[in-house]
Amino acid sequence: MLINREIPAFDLAPIKGSDQGWGSKDLAGQVTIVNFFGSWCIACLQEHPFLMNIKAQKLVPIYGADWREKSVDAGPRWLARYGNPYTRVGDDPKSKAAIAFGVAGGPESFIVDKKGVIRYKQVGPIYAGVWTEKLWPLIQELQKE
Amino acid sequence: MTLKAPSFTVAFALALFVVAPLASLVPSAAFALEPNEILADPVLEARARELGKILRCVVCQNQPIGASNADLAGDMRVLVRERITNGDSDEQVLAYMVDRYGDFVLFDPPFKSTTYVLWIGPAVIAVFGMFAVVSFYRRRKDDGLDMATPNPQAAPLSDEERKRLDALLKEDDE
């Protein structure tokens, strides 16, 4: 769903404690991962160390959508506790971006090419197998485009 | 004391024959709508409710977004209202959701190349099943396994077989 389609236009406000949110325009000109997460989402915590590794190795920028937090403090507290793997984080309390991307559960990740076209959708956590077999080869290919 | 028993019976009968049928008249599709979601324009609100019955809550078990208390269903109801308020037709709203969540988001999936198996599959399986049952019983008859109706096409016994049969029957008599 929405594969090989342009990302929907949207703008996410910053989460509490930050002055920078992000929107569809910020993704232009680079290959990115758009990741939907939430502090309530157990599988997001499972995936989290993997995202931290991607950031540490500077493989690809990850843009986070902090999805449907029960309070404005929950997301920032979660990131402060476990670490922030995101280039930027936006707040999506009412599922505006989540529905625009067709997200049904957390986490979900989208690989977006330089033109802003969604090229892959990963439902559920990113793990070593899917990363080495699918996501990383695709990202490298797209970075050459 | 004598009045107590009849009054209980009357109450029970009332509950059974008056209240229960009345309760069944209440529409079964409960609305999970929050008061602050409702649109001021009754025409738009009616359209939003119809769409709420057609669209499936993608995180629920077989519930439309209109009847679900899930957070995401609530957000989808709000989005439906936003879109029709901004001039989207019902078809545009449904297309927007199908684009994102696939035909699964519709309670009544459309009949098309990717879904025809879903629609005609059961009928095809039923026809195959009937065919299999009929041919099973036919074959059984042909094989002569059906003892009640001897197969007229079965080859008659050879002389050797007849001798063996006679011998066996004689053994039985002794």
Side-chain angles (χ1 to χ4, degrees):
Chain A
M1 270 65 84
L2 287 191
I3 307 297
N4 294 327
R5 300 263 298 272
E6 216 167 297
I7 46 163
F10 64 92
D11 265 306
L12 295 178
I15 54 170
K16 195 177 172 186
S18 156
D19 53 3
Q20 237 182 0
W22 64 277
S24 33
K25 284 180 198 127
D26 296 305
L27 304 183
Q30 54 180 345
V31 180
T32 52
I33 294 179
V34 173
N35 177 257
F36 286 83
F37 75 100
S39 66
W40 46 269
C41 159
I42 309 288
C44 299
L45 187 57
Q46 186 196 334
E47 150 186 90
H48 184 266
F50 208 90
L51 300 186
M52 291 301 283
N53 267 332
I54 293 172
K55 191 195 185 182
Q57 295 178 45
K58 296 190 168 68
L59 299 177
V60 59
I62 308 172
Y63 284 73
D66 190 8
W67 181 30
R68 251 207 168 279
E69 296 292 358
K70 292 262 182 283
S71 86
V72 291
D73 294 311
R77 205 187 301 137
W78 191 81
L79 290 171
R81 180 168 170 194
Y82 298 106
N84 184 351
Y86 302 107
T87 303
R88 288 214 210 154
V89 182
D91 198 11
D92 193 16
K94 296 288 172 200
S95 310
K96 285 248 162 74
I99 296 172
F101 274 84
V103 170
E108 279 191 29
S109 304
F110 298 81
I111 295 179
V112 183
D113 71 13
K114 292 178 184 173
K115 290 177 192 143
V117 176
I118 297 170
R119 302 295 285 267
Y120 195 88
K121 175 178 181 174
Q122 168 69 17
V123 178
I126 294 174
Y127 57 95
V130 75
W131 174 258
T132 49
E133 274 166 37
K134 289 198 179 131
L135 306 188
W136 182 227
L138 176 64
I139 290 166
Q140 283 176 304
E141 200 180 300
L142 295 176
Q143 281 173 339
K144 281 180 213 149
E145 274 182 6
Chain B
M1 280 305 274
T2 45
L3 273 174
K4 215 170 188 181
S7 70
F8 175 76
T9 316
V10 168
F12 184 74
L14 264 177
L16 199 62
F17 298 110
V18 181
V19 181
L22 276 178
S24 71
L25 288 176
V26 176
S28 55
F31 283 109
L33 211 59
E34 302 289 329
N36 58 352
E37 290 176 16
I38 297 168
L39 296 174
D41 182 335
V43 178
L44 290 184
E45 179 59 29
R47 277 178 56 201
R49 287 191 189 205
E50 282 309 308
L51 289 167
K53 290 181 201 166
I54 297 170
L55 289 166
R56 182 193 300 274
C57 162
V58 291
V59 294
C60 311
Q61 298 290 333
N62 210 29
Q63 244 186 339
I65 60 168
S68 168
N69 287 316
D71 291 340
L72 186 59
D75 291 342
M76 282 168 91
R77 287 196 300 270
V78 171
L79 184 86
V80 164
R81 282 167 174 75
E82 265 176 31
R83 295 195 80 88
I84 60 176
T85 305
N86 291 336
D88 263 20
S89 68
D90 292 358
E91 290 72 29
Q92 282 170 318
V93 172
L94 295 177
Y96 180 89
M97 292 299 190
V98 169
D99 261 359
R100 281 152 180 80
Y101 292 103
D103 291 330
F104 175 70
V105 80
L106 302 176
F107 260 101
D108 224 353
F111 188 81
K112 60 182 197 188
S113 63
T114 49
T115 59
Y116 75 90
V117 174
L118 182 72
W119 284 97
I120 63 172
V124 170
I125 290 168
V127 168
F128 264 102
M130 279 191 279
F131 188 78
V133 168
V134 168
S135 71
F136 173 75
Y137 280 107
R138 277 203 175 157
R139 193 174 309 143
R140 212 157 85 144
K141 223 172 180 178
D142 291 347
D143 287 348
L145 293 172
D146 184 355
M147 297 303 183
T149 46
N151 185 354
Q153 281 172 358
L157 295 177
S158 67
D159 287 348
E160 208 172 309
E161 284 170 335
R162 191 162 293 284
K163 266 183 210 163
R164 257 194 86 199
L165 180 63
D166 285 345
L168 284 168
L169 286 171
K170 228 180 237 169
E171 244 173 57
D172 227 24
D173 286 345
E174 284 164 7

